[in-house]
Amino acid sequence: MLNLLLLLGAFSGPVLGVLRGSPRSSSYVSTAFTILAAICGLLLSFNILSAGGKGSTTTLSLKAPNLIPWINFSFFLDGLAAFFLLIISLLALATAIYSMGYNKEFYGRNVGVLGLCMNLFILSMIGVVSADNALVFLIFWEMMTLASYFLVVYEYEKVESVRAGLIYIVMAHAGTAFIVAAFLFLYKWYGSFDFAVLRASVANLSGIPKDLLFVLFLLGFGVKAGIVPLHIWLPKAHPAAPSSASALMSGVMIKVAIYGLVRMVMDLLGGGRVALLLPGGATATDGGSLWWGVVVLAVASASAVLGVLYALVEHDLKRLLAYHSVENIGIILMGVGASMVFSSMGESGPARVALVAGLFHTLNHSIFKGLLFLGAGSVVFVTHIKNIEELGGLIKKMPWTALCFLVGAVSISGLPPFNGFVSEWLTFQGLLMGFGVTEGGMRVFLPVVAVVLGFSSALAASCFVKAFGMTFLALPRSEHARHAVEAPLSMRLGMGMLTALCLLLGVMPQYMLGLVDGAASTVLHTRAPFGNSYDWLTLVPLTPGGASALSGFSPQWVFLLLLAFTGGLLLVMGIPYRRAILGETWGCGIPALVPRMEYTATAFSKPFMIIFRDLYRTTEDMEKIASPAPLQPHFTRIRSYEVSVVRIFERYFYEPLVQVVMAISNKMQILQSGSIHLYLLYIFFTLIALILWTKYR
Amino acid sequence: MISPGYSIHLVCLLLGALLLQGFIKKMKARLQGRQGPGLLQPCYDLSKLLKKDSVLSEHASWVFRFAPYGVFVFTLTAALFVPLYVPLTPMTYAGDCILVVYLLGMARFLQAIAALDTGSAFGGMGSSREMTISSFVEPALFMALFTVGIQVGSLNLSEMVLRVSKDGAGYLSLFNILLGISFFVVLIAETGRIPVDNPATHLELTMIHEAMILEYSGRALALIEWSKALKQFIFFALLVNLFLPVPVSRGEAVPLYSLGVFFLKLMVLGYIIAWVETLNAKLRLFRIPNLLLLSLCGSFLALLSIIFVR
């Protein structure tokens, strides 16, 4: 009963979102409701998760028999849904606190609409994860797309926002079409939209129809999650929205797509159902096939590497972060894909470890990506600059924002002692466990995926050295950056909350991992519970047989060691540079260091551009000035240097596709004369044709 | 945690790192027909630096000031997980090889952002190059470590060393020798040796690590130099323990025999490094990924042969 109340509380978001009144009051009212909803959501998800995800679930059934007789508006929260509700609520809480200050940016506009869209957006995401019925799921899914679309085009006078919005909404609907198709197939075969009914029925399905459903779901949710090559909307749409919305889109919305994928493919289609081992080594699976997991792993590897490679040459702070979302979705899907592989082979232990790794990284990525977007938002809020080439030196003006951003940057690079490391470590374990339980080609494939994970996280570290260094360190490169001030308290609080969580989940992940384990077990339906899991001091994801390549790791010991050494060092050597002589940075003998002499972001990423030139297909554009006669031509001076990168998926896949679509539309224009009589005639003929078709079919 | 064995481990780590540095310098000088500084020169340098005043750039922030502490702490923590003369270490069961690589990664991250902090173009140059190279080192390193781990059945370094030393010469199959060579390439890149980086250079346009630390002085510089020596020691210890197996005792007391064997192996490897540094010229920056790719392929071949040949 308490759970029900809390669920209703969580849905209370959009009430009073729009207020005609002062922008301040409408901003405060909408954020207050978000905070209320988020707290209800947090309590509810903890209620369900702490009970192990299994025993306590919440069902809410609203029937509207007179209005729409065949739909049962039912909601259901099991461990998995509760876990995603936790993610949504957590981020909603942080962004709501942050928005109280951040919304000042938009006081000249209609802040009420921003608040309404944000709250509708949060509500629809809660709806998606708690839906127990395909139609309800789709309704909220669509609502989520529309609410976020309005957030993307919130600054509608900017051409790029509108363009980004267009690409976003077209891609999102193409994705939704695949999901709708999958549900329609299911409805046609089993006559129901209820997940419970479908789950029971699909078990009998096998072969090509099941594979078809998998492909449809993967494509449909893949668009929203931003997997390569369906990611092109993501780096455009996420940066265009206000930063609080970007944090929710990158931090949460793409995770809702992961929820969809896990729910539909692993739970509904049984891709996560652990196969039974028959005598003689054969497996009887009513779940997924091995190749599903392999496809997911391949897509994940491509997303992880390409996402970060494009981020490396990106100098728009928010777009850089958006590309990192593509990378991290790849890392999440590595865990999920490995889990699918193991499930189809009947290995419950490794399947569980891999899924826990994937889900835990989902949570961690929400936290640090939300944090980074909020940090970027603060920078833009203060300086109105997104290009990191024009920033710099902000650490002295905005020390708190800089510290928060640094923690986010370290976490997303997967470095200890922060949360990103724990989930990447678990993903490594999950992937390498495969060696003990698989055969032949898979034994090569899984370690290679693990190495790809190592590669992408090393590249991410490079990228964040650049992003943090160019934005916050050295000298300011523009007038705006020089006059920056620290962000307001509420914004710092929102960021600070997520920063603390990054450290907390990196040092004490065991409690949360226990909850994640409960969420994973609701999907896997493992028959043999996975023993020796996560005690409070050490993480040892050992399979009972102990046959796999495994090891333990104790975040607490490592953290204590770090603390002890730091303390010891401070004791012995004191505060660094306390008695130092101040001097200038050496500028090769030129008297004063000016920002022009600093290394730039373009220069920083130049080695990568040269090494990966076949991927980037860079073109350079230099404007040269002729020097006076005796120096010419040996001392040409360069006034401007521009380097551009060709995004191969857009150039070689989407642009031709758009051209084809446009050509067909041009041909179709013949039908569109503008005369209403003609249109009526079309309708009439279509009607006749349909009647005849149903009659003589 | 405080037992004589572990204190000796720590001393061996902190001093051994400096001695190894001195030994390589000495060998290099000898190979080039010079007399060279004494073995203890790095220790003298360090104690001198620790006593000196420091100059701080006025553009630097706390990142620059605290980074050397961070670099040292993360490197030292990583070093505690690496077996030296006995397979066990003070922190054996609190972490595995992934943790070691990522702790070193954190040290490098701090070093790289600190290099950007003063606004010097050299810092940026060094930082950019270091991160570029490390992005290629890490997959090669992981491939090598995972291939060992897969054979042993654990990613824990102590377990690995234990198994390898138990197998002794039997472990040295053809593909493990290939793996060892691949790891050697990784070692050269990670320790900043020729042909990847030149530790002795102060030539503006070729330096990598030196460019990053150009603005440091006094105690901070001492800590950074010490961390660098420690990191070198870690990789040397890993290579000799994983790829030059000699049966060692598991005992809790200090086994003088295995200590001697360990340092003998380090000296052999140090001599090889000095020899490689003398005979080679530094590679162009953009040829380094090829070298590391070669190492990655070597480890991958070893993995394939373990799976399909055995």
Side-chain angles (χ1 to χ4, degrees):
Chain A
M1 197 57 216
L2 175 71
N3 285 354
L4 268 184
L5 276 178
L6 288 173
L7 183 62
L8 291 176
F11 275 125
S12 75
V15 187
L16 286 174
V18 174
L19 253 186
R20 288 264 164 232
S22 74
R24 173 188 290 266
S25 58
S26 61
S27 159
Y28 280 15
V29 169
S30 60
T31 46
F33 272 91
T34 320
I35 291 172
L36 174 72
I39 290 173
C40 288
L42 277 178
L43 289 175
L44 174 60
S45 51
F46 268 109
N47 259 356
I48 295 172
L49 282 172
S50 57
K54 265 241 158 96
S56 76
T57 47
T58 297
T59 321
L60 173 70
S61 214
L62 303 168
K63 281 191 183 151
N66 298 326
L67 197 61
I68 324 170
W70 65 91
I71 305 184
N72 184 8
F73 279 93
S74 54
F75 297 94
F76 176 80
L77 279 167
D78 60 356
L80 184 71
F83 177 66
F84 280 85
L85 178 62
L86 173 76
I87 295 177
I88 297 167
S89 310
L90 209 58
L91 260 283
L93 185 61
T95 44
I97 296 172
Y98 178 89
S99 294
M100 284 196 278
Y102 181 71
N103 280 351
K104 287 189 192 113
E105 176 89 351
F106 303 107
Y107 274 5
R109 324 169 61 92
N110 196 339
V111 181
V113 169
L114 179 64
L116 176 77
C117 286
M118 288 286 275
N119 283 350
L120 271 178
F121 184 40
I122 293 166
L123 171 115
S124 57
M125 290 192 289
I126 295 175
V128 170
V129 299
S130 56
D132 193 26
N133 178 303
L135 272 182
V136 180
F137 183 91
L138 283 175
I139 289 168
F140 279 113
W141 182 263
E142 193 54 26
M143 209 167 116
M144 180 174 87
T145 305
L146 290 179
S148 52
Y149 168 74
F150 287 123
L151 289 169
V152 171
V153 297
Y154 182 67
E155 291 175 78
Y156 53 85
E157 72 284 352
K158 287 188 187 160
V159 181
E160 55 181 304
S161 295
V162 176
R163 277 186 74 98
L166 180 69
I167 292 175
Y168 170 47
I169 203 151
V170 169
M171 290 293 288
H173 280 105
T176 310
F178 288 113
I179 303 171
V180 171
F183 282 136
L184 286 180
F185 273 121
L186 282 170
Y187 184 71
K188 190 167 157 44
W189 293 331
Y190 302 115
S192 172
F193 282 122
D194 275 338
F195 286 159
V197 177
L198 291 179
R199 192 177 293 124
S201 321
V202 170
N204 307 317
L205 192 64
S206 60
I208 292 173
K210 205 168 190 175
D211 291 343
L212 173 73
L213 287 177
F214 163 70
V215 171
L216 288 176
F217 279 133
L218 182 67
L219 287 173
F221 291 116
V223 170
K224 202 56 148 202
I227 58 175
V228 171
L230 307 172
H231 65 285
I232 58 151
W233 63 273
L234 202 150
K236 294 188 167 61
H238 287 197
S243 295
S244 47
S246 316
L248 280 183
M249 286 177 78
S250 239
V252 191
M253 185 181 76
I254 58 174
K255 308 302 159 26
V256 172
I258 295 289
Y259 167 80
L261 195 68
V262 172
R263 171 65 83 204
M264 299 310 157
V265 172
M266 296 191 74
D267 184 21
L268 212 63
L269 297 186
R273 204 167 298 145
V274 175
L276 270 181
L277 285 173
L278 293 181
T283 53
T285 172
D286 54 353
S289 330
L290 177 65
W291 70 268
W292 292 10
V294 174
V295 167
V296 172
L297 279 175
V299 166
S301 307
S303 302
V305 171
L306 289 176
V308 70
L309 280 178
Y310 279 121
L312 265 169
V313 291
E314 191 56 68
H315 298 149
D316 175 312
L317 188 54
K318 287 178 75 177
R319 213 179 301 150
L320 179 148
L321 294 177
Y323 271 117
H324 272 284
S325 295
V326 176
E327 182 220 350
N328 278 279
I329 283 292
I331 296 176
I332 292 167
L333 285 180
M334 281 180 184
V336 173
S339 178
M340 286 166 69
V341 167
F342 298 142
S343 304
S344 73
M345 307 178 86
E347 296 293 339
S348 61
R352 196 138 162 194
V353 172
L355 189 59
V356 165
L359 291 180
F360 192 48
H361 197 71
T362 309
L363 171 68
N364 289 339
H365 180 245
S366 298
I367 293 171
F368 51 66
K369 184 48 68 65
L371 171 61
L372 288 167
F373 261 114
L374 296 185
S378 305
V379 170
V380 178
F381 179 81
V382 173
T383 61
H384 294 101
I385 295 172
K386 282 195 217 166
N387 184 356
I388 57 175
E389 300 277 32
E390 294 171 31
L391 293 165
L394 293 181
I395 194 167
K396 290 180 195 112
K397 310 285 165 53
M398 320 171 67
W400 291 105
T401 306
L403 181 66
C404 293
F405 195 92
L406 179 60
V407 169
V410 173
S411 308
I412 199 174
S413 309
L415 296 170
F418 295 97
N419 58 356
F421 174 69
V422 180
S423 46
E424 280 193 18
W425 184 84
L426 276 171
T427 311
F428 274 120
Q429 300 297 324
L431 287 169
L432 290 173
M433 270 179 191
F435 193 81
V437 297
T438 53
E439 302 259 312
M442 285 306 286
R443 286 187 151 192
V444 183
F445 183 56
L446 289 172
V448 167
V449 174
V451 169
V452 169
L453 173 59
F455 185 42
S456 70
S457 77
L459 288 172
S462 314
C463 189
F464 274 96
V465 166
K466 179 190 81 178
F468 179 77
M470 297 301 155
T471 310
F472 290 100
L473 300 177
L475 298 175
R477 295 189 191 79
S478 68
E479 210 49 42
H480 288 289
R482 201 164 297 132
H483 300 299
V485 287
E486 181 60 281
L489 180 68
S490 56
M491 291 168 74
R492 276 179 278 154
L493 271 182
M495 289 188 283
M497 184 186 132
L498 296 177
T499 309
L501 276 175
C502 280
L503 184 63
L504 187 70
L505 290 182
V507 178
M508 304 285 289
Q510 280 90 348
Y511 174 68
M512 187 49 83
L513 278 173
L515 299 188
V516 179
D517 200 33
S521 70
T522 51
V523 181
L524 290 175
H525 310 282
T526 39
R527 291 173 184 103
F530 170 44
N532 185 16
S533 49
Y534 317 99
D535 69 43
W536 72 277
L537 205 60
T538 323
L539 298 173
V540 190
L542 265 171
T543 39
S548 335
L550 292 170
S551 51
F553 154 54
S554 166
Q556 284 84 6
W557 271 118
V558 174
F559 187 64
L560 278 180
L561 215 57
L562 291 173
L563 272 190
F565 282 144
T566 314
L569 211 55
L570 283 174
L571 218 62
V572 174
M573 308 199 41
I575 308 282
Y577 282 106
R578 207 177 36 170
R579 284 178 303 156
I581 306 151
L582 273 189
E584 274 217 335
T585 299
W586 188 60
C588 296
I590 295 168
L593 190 77
V594 289
R596 273 180 58 101
M597 292 155 70
E598 285 168 22
Y599 226 52
T600 58
T602 311
F604 191 96
S605 49
K606 184 87 194 217
F608 291 99
M609 267 193 209
I610 294 174
I611 292 163
F612 293 104
R613 56 185 171 273
D614 291 340
L615 172 74
Y616 294 133
R617 291 161 196 259
T618 43
T619 44
E620 293 179 345
D621 196 10
M622 273 184 262
E623 193 187 331
K624 292 178 178 169
I625 317 170
S627 303
L631 301 176
Q632 191 67 4
H634 305 293
F635 290 88
T636 320
R637 286 160 66 193
I638 296 167
R639 183 196 286 166
S640 73
Y641 172 81
E642 209 175 309
V643 57
S644 49
V645 170
V646 175
R647 298 201 153 63
I648 47 174
F649 292 105
E650 286 162 54
R651 173 70 58 85
Y652 299 106
F653 179 69
Y654 288 99
E655 281 179 17
L657 188 71
V658 168
Q659 275 168 9
V660 169
V661 171
M662 291 309 274
I664 293 173
S665 324
N666 281 338
K667 289 273 174 356
M668 300 277 279
Q669 263 183 350
I670 306 165
L671 292 173
Q672 200 180 21
S673 63
S675 151
I676 195 147
H677 302 102
L678 205 57
Y679 295 163
L680 284 174
L681 197 66
Y682 292 156
I683 294 172
F684 180 67
F685 278 126
T686 314
L687 196 64
I688 301 274
L690 281 175
I691 290 171
L692 287 177
W693 184 63
T694 43
K695 183 100 175 146
Y696 297 106
R697 175 161 70 127
Chain B
M1 225 176 116
I2 319 278
S3 80
Y6 291 158
S7 340
I8 292 169
H9 188 102
L10 203 60
V11 170
C12 175
L13 204 61
L14 289 171
L15 282 182
L18 295 176
L19 286 178
L20 180 65
Q21 180 85 327
F23 178 77
I24 296 172
K25 258 190 191 151
K26 183 85 182 166
M27 286 302 113
K28 215 174 141 183
R30 281 291 169 81
L31 281 169
Q32 293 165 354
R34 294 184 282 121
Q35 186 63 38
L39 269 185
L40 290 175
Q41 193 57 43
C43 303
Y44 300 146
D45 289 348
L46 208 67
S47 61
K48 185 72 170 264
L49 278 176
L50 284 171
K51 275 181 265 171
K52 283 204 158 197
D53 282 342
S54 356
V55 182
L56 176 66
S57 162
E58 60 191 9
H59 308 300
S61 68
W62 59 265
V63 169
F64 180 84
R65 282 191 288 140
F66 281 90
Y69 283 44
V71 172
F72 186 75
V73 164
F74 278 99
T75 312
L76 185 59
T77 309
L80 286 192
F81 291 92
V82 178
L84 303 179
Y85 47 92
V86 283
L88 289 181
T89 78
M91 299 300 292
T92 292
Y93 292 107
D96 56 5
C97 66
I98 300 172
L99 179 73
V100 171
V101 173
Y102 274 79
L103 282 170
L104 292 175
M106 182 67 187
R108 171 162 42 218
F109 187 95
L110 291 173
Q111 183 82 79
I113 57 171
L116 290 173
D117 198 14
T118 54
S120 149
F122 294 115
M125 208 181 282
S127 169
S128 158
R129 289 173 180 175
E130 172 86 8
M131 294 316 285
T132 307
I133 292 172
S134 79
S135 306
F136 292 92
V137 171
E138 229 151 86
L141 176 59
F142 273 132
M143 191 51 111
L145 287 174
F146 289 167
T147 308
V148 178
I150 276 168
Q151 296 178 65
V152 172
S154 170
L155 291 176
N156 191 300
L157 287 170
S158 296
E159 292 284 332
M160 284 186 191
V161 172
L162 206 62
R163 249 304 283 286
V164 168
S165 58
K166 202 158 51 181
D167 284 7
Y171 177 79
L172 280 183
S173 53
L174 200 59
F175 42 76
N176 274 331
I177 293 171
L178 181 64
L179 199 57
I181 295 170
S182 305
F183 193 89
F184 182 72
V185 174
V186 170
L187 177 139
I188 286 177
E190 279 280 8
T191 53
R193 298 253 156 218
I194 293 176
V196 172
D197 187 10
N198 185 354
T201 189
H202 275 281
L203 270 177
E204 293 160 2
L205 295 179
T206 57
M207 53 189 178
I208 299 174
H209 186 264
E210 292 300 317
M212 281 204 295
I213 63 173
L214 209 58
E215 293 291 325
Y216 277 112
S217 54
R219 289 180 166 188
L221 185 61
L223 280 182
I224 287 175
E225 294 289 358
W226 208 350
S227 320
K228 199 190 166 198
L230 263 178
K231 185 177 172 187
Q232 173 173 282
F233 196 67
I234 292 176
F235 275 90
F236 270 63
L238 277 178
L239 194 141
V240 300
N241 279 332
L242 291 179
F243 300 103
L244 293 176
V246 170
V248 288
S249 80
R250 285 187 81 163
E252 268 69 40
V254 188
L256 275 178
Y257 162 70
S258 57
L259 194 67
V261 169
F262 175 66
F263 273 95
L264 202 66
K265 286 195 289 186
L266 284 183
M267 279 157 73
V268 171
L269 186 58
Y271 187 77
I272 296 174
I273 283 283
W275 185 67
V276 167
E277 281 212 299
T278 308
L279 288 187
N280 284 286
K282 197 177 161 305
L283 271 182
R284 259 190 82 205
L285 184 67
F286 301 110
R287 299 288 298 279
I288 294 170
N290 295 356
L291 183 71
L292 291 165
L293 207 60
L294 210 65
S295 154
L296 183 73
C297 290
S299 305
F300 185 61
L301 278 180
L303 177 74
L304 284 184
S305 37
I306 285 161
I307 291 167
F308 293 112
V309 178
R310 238 183 202 173

